[in-house]
Amino acid sequence: MRFVQIHAKAFGPLADTDLELSPGMNVIGGLNGAGKSSWHNAIYAALCGIRRGPGLRKEDSEFAERYRPWTLPNWEVSAEISCDDGRTICIHRDLAENVDCSVCELPTGRDISAAFINDGSPDGARLVGLDRRTFLSTASVRQAEVTNLESGGELQQQLQRAAATAGEAATAAAAIEAIDNYMKEHVGLDRRNSTKPLRAAKDGLQRARDELATVEAKHIDYLKQLETVERLKSQADRAESESTAAEAVSARDQAHELRTNYSRAAELTQQFQSSPAPDLGADEKLASDVAAEIQTYEELVNQAPPSAGEDPGVLRSELSGLPKMPEGEIIPGRDVREAYEDYVSSLEGVDKMPDGDAVPTRAPSWWHVVGFASLIAAIVLLLAKLLALGAAALLVGSALLTFGFLRTRKRRDAERTRLRHAELPGLRNEPKAALSARLRSRGYQGDDPIGLYHRYAADCEERSEVALAAGRRRDLEKRLEAVEQLHALANNYAGSLVASQERLCALALRCGLEGSDSREVVRNLKSWQVSRSEQRKLMQKNIGERRELEALLGQGTLADLEREAVEKEREAKALATQFSGAKLEAWKAKNGSPSGAFIRTLRDEARKEKSGADTAEGELAQLKRSLPDVAASRDAVAAAELEHDRIGHLSKTLGATKTFLEKAQEAVFLDIAPMLVSTLEKWLPKITGGLYARAAVDPETLDVRVRPDGGAWRGATTLSHGTGEQVYLLLRIAMAEHLTKASNERCPLLLDEVTAHCDPVRTKAVLELLHEISKERQVVLFSQERDVAEWADKALREPNDKLIALDANALAL
């Protein structure tokens, strides 16, 4: 078999382009990016396609991600193949949907896809006896994957088939596979989610056993429930008997108590028929009032009466005569004084008369004398701790001294001004204007600022005198308030004492007592308090007994009480018929006299026990109706055990058969190794330049060891990278040769950059070996190395061989 033409309608960067190949050796060269790897994988995809089985393998998704068309929506590739038996086959692939895939013969066009189906899609590798995975492991070598050999079951099966039967299907591996498939279908694995017979039989047996255990457990539950019902019914009977005994004892005790109460009520009724009920409440109220009033009177007598103090009328008269606080300044403002002083100092001859004589000095005014006297009085009052009067005197003295000082200065200033106006008419006018402005702001207008200032100072003096008098108002108001409070206290005390004396006399009359004055009345009342204690005890006893009678009778009469006692005696007799007298006495000795709450508790417990017993009995009846058949469950377990044993016996039989076949397969592995070794040793000296001549292959793992003649064995993976790749390249070629012998079709080799790690000598040796192999089978080699292209140009001859140069500019980038 050989590839004639590959048509890449849309594959990676390839778009609607063809690749024609010769039957011998084809060297396809080009720089990086020219599409060599894309053509290599396009040839593989056209031949083998992509599986359509369930699930998406990682390698399939990676292949699709890398080689889907870069610019086109479809993904299609076709191959024309010439078979060794003379047929021509055309394979078409719609890789995008993996549905429109077909294999047909030319020129008839007959569809022969069914003969190549593998994992849901046509697999052209079956032409040479391989499948798409083993073809990729042997005949197709992708870039940098020379040593990447799969050791999966498919490749081992192909190796065994090639060695044992020259490609026939009836192999030990096929038999093992058939056994595995049969076991998979008719036995299966013992896994949790498996639906195959082994797991189904095991699960069925377990379910049958579980069902039997459930049925037996239900029978055990029924028996336990039956015991529980009997126990609950017994407990309910005991609780009912206990409750009835308590009621009988209680009824007997109540009947006895009612009979005793009737006798006592009859006695008290006879006792109180001729005497009225004492009024203890009124007596208590009288005694309480007497004790409280005596205490009030003695507290008033022992209390000192408050002093009235000053006459409030005098203080009110003095307060009404005080003036109101004046509005305006009582002392000339600082700005006015400063303006006045500036104006006066601006005049010449301030301190001297025009003729040089000094201004005459006046004697101190009466304001100074009174002011100093007030200050001395304030000091005396403050030392005497009369703070209010001392503060008032201090305020008055300070005001008088200030006023006297201002008045004296004003006179002196007036005199000086008069002299200045008389002698110095040409003074500056600026201070005068400032003084006039400040006086105008206070309502004083005129051309004579000196005169206006004196009038303003006089007005301040008058307001100061008024303010001094008005300043006494607050002190007088406080004194008046204190005096009025004292008068009110004195009046209240006198009134309270008189009222207490009157109340004492009234209480004495209520107690039948007399007295000439308040003190005698108090003494008589205290004697009355001592003498009434014995009488009060008798009254309290009488009232207690009357209350006892009321409690005994309740809302009824003495006849009602007797009738109730008779009825309770009849009830006690009826309840006691169920028990002997000794039993009731024993019950009472153990539990005492039962209270109503205790009896209600016993009744509730009896009802609860009865309800529980009835419920349990109903549940037992329901359980009995739904009770499953134990015998049927045991028969089901026996049937499940037979099925489980049958599947187990089948599994053991198939396992033993498989073991025999595996041993036979091991013998076949020993036969295949010489086939691979003979092919390797034929090519190994040439490919390694005579360095290694002998080879050994493990057919199970495909591990290769080599050695020189007479030398030590070395694993191929431990050699230099280039030598190792060359050894495994020979192994792939040997495998392709032996695996495809039975198909009668020579398998082509698809190689991508297999000389990348070879030196020039080894590269030439590999190329010459491939050229020799191409005489028997088609070789398609992709390489970007200049040495390879130069060798191909010299060694290859058409039409059997072909050198193809790819151009990156022709790609659909």
Side-chain angles (χ1 to χ4, degrees):
M1 159 193 146
R2 65 182 182 85
F3 295 100
V4 178
Q5 183 184 57
I6 308 299
H7 177 67
K9 186 173 183 179
F11 190 92
L14 308 176
D16 199 18
T17 182
D18 297 328
L19 181 65
E20 296 183 358
L21 301 174
S22 66
M25 183 168 182
N26 297 269
V27 176
I28 304 173
L31 300 177
N32 290 334
K36 299 185 298 299
S37 294
S38 297
W39 273 116
H40 179 273
N41 285 278
I43 298 172
Y44 168 78
L47 177 66
C48 299
I50 301 176
R51 61 185 289 274
R52 286 188 61 196
L56 184 63
R57 292 175 177 171
K58 180 180 179 183
E59 57 266 24
D60 294 337
S61 61
E62 291 176 351
F63 183 84
E65 182 180 355
R66 182 171 183 182
Y67 292 110
R68 276 186 179 274
W70 296 359
T71 58
L72 298 175
N74 56 326
W75 187 18
E76 298 181 40
V77 63
S78 302
E80 181 181 342
I81 299 173
S82 177
C83 298
D84 293 340
D85 60 5
R87 292 181 300 165
T88 300
I89 295 176
C90 180
I91 302 177
H92 173 75
R93 302 283 184 183
D94 178 10
L95 300 172
E97 301 296 334
N98 206 15
V99 175
D100 185 14
C101 302
S102 63
V103 181
C104 64
E105 287 184 343
L106 297 179
T108 62
R110 184 169 64 93
D111 192 335
I112 58 174
S113 302
F116 298 93
I117 295 298
N118 177 26
D119 275 344
S121 65
D123 185 357
R126 288 188 176 273
L127 281 169
V128 293
L130 302 176
D131 58 27
R132 60 175 59 93
R133 298 193 69 185
T134 52
F135 184 87
L136 189 62
S137 299
T138 55
S140 178
V141 180
R142 291 175 177 171
Q143 185 176 0
E145 292 184 358
V146 176
T147 58
N148 185 18
L149 289 174
E150 294 185 2
S151 58
E154 298 93 338
L155 186 56
Q156 297 296 342
Q157 183 178 349
Q158 297 293 342
L159 286 171
Q160 182 189 15
R161 182 176 299 151
T165 64
E168 294 181 3
T171 63
I176 292 173
E177 181 179 4
I179 291 175
D180 287 338
N181 291 335
Y182 187 86
M183 289 185 66
K184 185 185 300 182
E185 184 66 25
H186 297 279
V187 178
L189 298 177
D190 187 9
R191 293 187 303 192
R192 182 182 299 275
N193 298 324
S194 176
T195 59
K196 299 305 179 181
L198 177 60
R199 185 63 190 189
K202 185 175 183 179
D203 292 343
L205 176 59
Q206 185 61 44
R207 283 193 300 271
R209 288 173 175 172
D210 292 343
E211 180 66 23
L212 177 60
T214 302
V215 171
E216 291 176 342
K218 287 183 178 179
H219 273 268
I220 294 173
D221 290 341
Y222 173 78
L223 296 176
K224 290 182 178 178
Q225 184 71 10
L226 181 60
E227 293 178 359
T228 301
V229 169
E230 296 297 332
R231 178 176 52 80
L232 291 177
K233 291 174 67 175
S234 176
Q235 290 177 356
D237 293 340
R238 286 197 299 272
E240 181 66 24
S241 176
E242 189 77 5
S243 173
T244 304
E247 291 178 356
V249 171
S250 176
R252 191 181 65 176
D253 291 347
Q254 290 178 13
H256 177 72
E257 183 181 1
L258 287 172
R259 179 58 62 183
T260 303
N261 291 342
Y262 170 74
S263 300
R264 176 62 176 167
E267 178 185 353
L268 292 176
T269 300
Q270 182 68 28
Q271 178 181 340
F272 297 137
Q273 281 182 348
S274 59
S275 60
D279 189 356
L280 184 61
D283 185 73
E284 288 290 340
K285 178 67 168 57
L286 178 61
S288 176
D289 292 344
V290 168
E293 200 55 50
I294 290 175
Q295 181 179 0
T296 300
Y297 174 77
E298 289 179 346
E299 287 178 353
L300 289 172
V301 170
N302 296 329
Q303 180 181 348
S307 175
E310 299 179 78
D311 186 359
V314 176
L315 294 176
R316 292 193 192 95
S317 176
E318 185 177 355
L319 186 62
S320 61
L322 294 178
K324 294 183 178 180
M325 186 65 67
E327 297 181 358
E329 298 172 311
I330 62 175
I331 298 176
R334 182 176 178 181
D335 57 336
V336 179
R337 294 199 309 271
E338 290 177 352
Y340 174 75
E341 291 173 357
D342 291 342
Y343 175 61
V344 171
S345 63
S346 66
L347 303 177
E348 296 180 359
V350 176
D351 297 323
K352 297 293 182 179
M353 296 290 290
D355 54 359
D357 297 334
V359 176
T361 302
R362 296 180 179 271
S365 65
W366 67 275
W367 299 97
H368 295 84
V369 176
V370 176
F372 278 113
S374 297
L375 290 177
I376 293 172
I379 294 172
V380 174
L381 291 172
L382 291 173
L383 292 176
K385 296 186 178 180
L386 299 175
L387 302 181
L389 295 176
L394 181 63
L395 179 63
V396 171
S398 301
L400 290 175
L401 286 176
T402 303
F403 184 76
F405 172 75
L406 294 175
R407 186 179 180 88
T408 302
R409 184 170 181 176
K410 182 175 69 175
R411 290 176 179 174
R412 292 180 61 190
D413 292 342
E415 185 65 22
R416 290 173 181 167
T417 302
R418 184 184 64 77
L419 293 176
R420 289 193 185 101
H421 280 279
E423 299 299 331
L424 303 170
L427 295 176
R428 294 191 303 265
N429 293 325
E430 182 177 353
K432 179 179 179 181
L435 178 59
S436 298
R438 285 166 173 76
L439 290 171
R440 276 197 305 273
S441 67
R442 287 164 171 78
Y444 295 91
Q445 298 183 1
D447 296 332
D448 182 14
I450 298 297
L452 292 174
Y453 174 78
H454 288 304
R455 193 173 70 182
Y456 163 68
D459 291 344
C460 290
E461 183 177 357
E462 292 178 2
R463 285 192 292 272
S464 176
E465 293 175 357
V466 174
L468 183 64
R472 299 182 57 243
R473 177 177 297 277
R474 183 169 181 78
D475 180 63
L476 288 177
E477 289 176 348
K478 290 183 177 180
R479 287 170 56 193
L480 176 61
E481 182 180 359
V483 169
E484 288 177 345
Q485 291 178 354
L486 290 175
H487 275 267
L489 291 175
N491 293 334
N492 290 337
Y493 175 79
S496 300
L497 184 60
V498 172
S500 179
Q501 291 172 348
E502 292 176 352
R503 288 193 295 273
L504 284 173
C505 292
L507 289 172
L509 291 176
R510 290 172 58 187
C511 296
L513 303 175
E514 296 182 356
S516 57
D517 58 12
S518 299
R519 295 184 181 275
E520 185 179 0
V521 170
V522 170
R523 286 195 299 271
N524 293 337
L525 287 174
K526 288 183 177 180
S527 299
W528 176 83
Q529 287 178 324
V530 174
S531 64
R532 70 175 289 277
S533 59
E534 292 298 328
Q535 182 181 359
R536 183 169 176 272
K537 290 180 181 179
L538 295 176
M539 292 176 63
Q540 288 177 341
K541 179 180 178 183
N542 188 285
I543 290 172
E545 290 176 343
R546 290 179 181 273
R547 289 176 178 173
E548 181 185 359
L549 178 59
E550 291 177 358
L552 292 173
L553 296 177
Q555 300 296 326
T557 63
L558 185 62
D560 295 335
L561 183 59
E562 183 182 15
R563 185 167 48 255
E564 183 179 359
V566 172
E567 291 177 355
K568 183 59 68 174
E569 287 171 350
R570 187 180 300 114
E571 178 185 354
K573 186 177 180 181
L575 291 171
T577 57
Q578 303 180 30
F579 308 96
S580 64
K583 187 174 182 179
L584 291 179
E585 290 298 331
W587 190 97
K588 185 175 181 180
K590 179 181 178 181
N591 300 288
S593 298
S595 63
F598 182 67
I599 292 175
R600 286 192 296 273
T601 300
L602 291 179
R603 288 174 181 170
D604 292 341
E605 290 180 355
R607 283 194 294 270
K608 187 183 299 183
E609 294 288 346
K610 181 65 167 56
S611 176
D614 293 342
T615 302
E617 192 171 14
E619 292 175 351
L620 181 64
Q622 180 67 25
L623 181 61
K624 186 176 182 180
R625 286 192 295 270
S626 62
L627 199 64
D629 189 356
V630 178
S633 298
R634 287 173 178 169
D635 291 342
V637 170
E641 287 176 345
L642 287 176
E643 178 63 14
H644 183 268
D645 292 342
R646 185 187 70 81
I647 298 297
H649 181 69
L650 177 61
S651 178
K652 291 179 180 178
T653 302
L654 293 175
T657 304
K658 183 179 177 181
T659 300
F660 291 136
L661 290 174
E662 286 175 344
K663 291 181 178 179
Q665 187 181 37
E666 291 177 1
V668 172
F669 283 158
L670 296 177
D671 293 337
I672 197 174
M675 299 179 186
L676 296 176
V677 169
S678 63
T679 303
L680 280 175
E681 290 183 347
K682 181 176 67 173
W683 298 328
L684 186 61
K686 183 175 182 180
I687 203 73
T688 61
L691 184 59
Y692 298 100
R694 302 300 301 277
V697 178
D698 185 342
E700 293 190 41
T701 63
L702 297 182
D703 288 338
V704 181
R705 293 184 298 163
V706 296
R707 70 173 184 176
D709 283 330
W713 290 103
R714 296 185 61 187
T717 56
T718 64
L719 304 176
S720 66
H721 190 69
T723 303
E725 284 192 349
Q726 293 155 17
V727 172
Y728 275 99
L729 175 61
L730 293 181
L731 178 63
R732 283 176 178 266
I733 296 173
M735 288 167 58
E737 179 178 348
H738 288 285
L739 291 177
T740 60
K741 276 184 179 180
S743 67
N744 296 320
E745 290 286 341
R746 294 182 178 86
C747 179
L749 300 177
L750 302 180
L751 309 175
D752 188 9
E753 299 291 356
V754 296
T755 61
H757 297 94
C758 296
D759 56 45
V761 176
R762 297 284 179 86
T763 299
K764 183 178 179 181
V766 171
L767 293 173
E768 290 177 349
L769 174 60
L770 293 176
H771 193 198
E772 182 179 349
I773 293 174
S774 70
K775 295 176 182 179
E776 296 181 359
R777 65 186 69 246
Q778 186 182 40
V779 176
V780 182
L781 173 64
F782 294 88
S783 176
Q784 55 88 25
E785 296 182 76
R786 181 180 299 177
D787 291 346
V788 174
E790 292 176 353
W791 175 88
D793 185 51
K794 295 178 181 179
L796 300 184
R797 295 291 182 267
E798 292 186 2
N800 192 60
D801 301 327
K802 194 171 187 178
L803 172 63
I804 302 173
L806 299 178
D807 185 5
N809 295 324
L811 297 180
L813 300 177

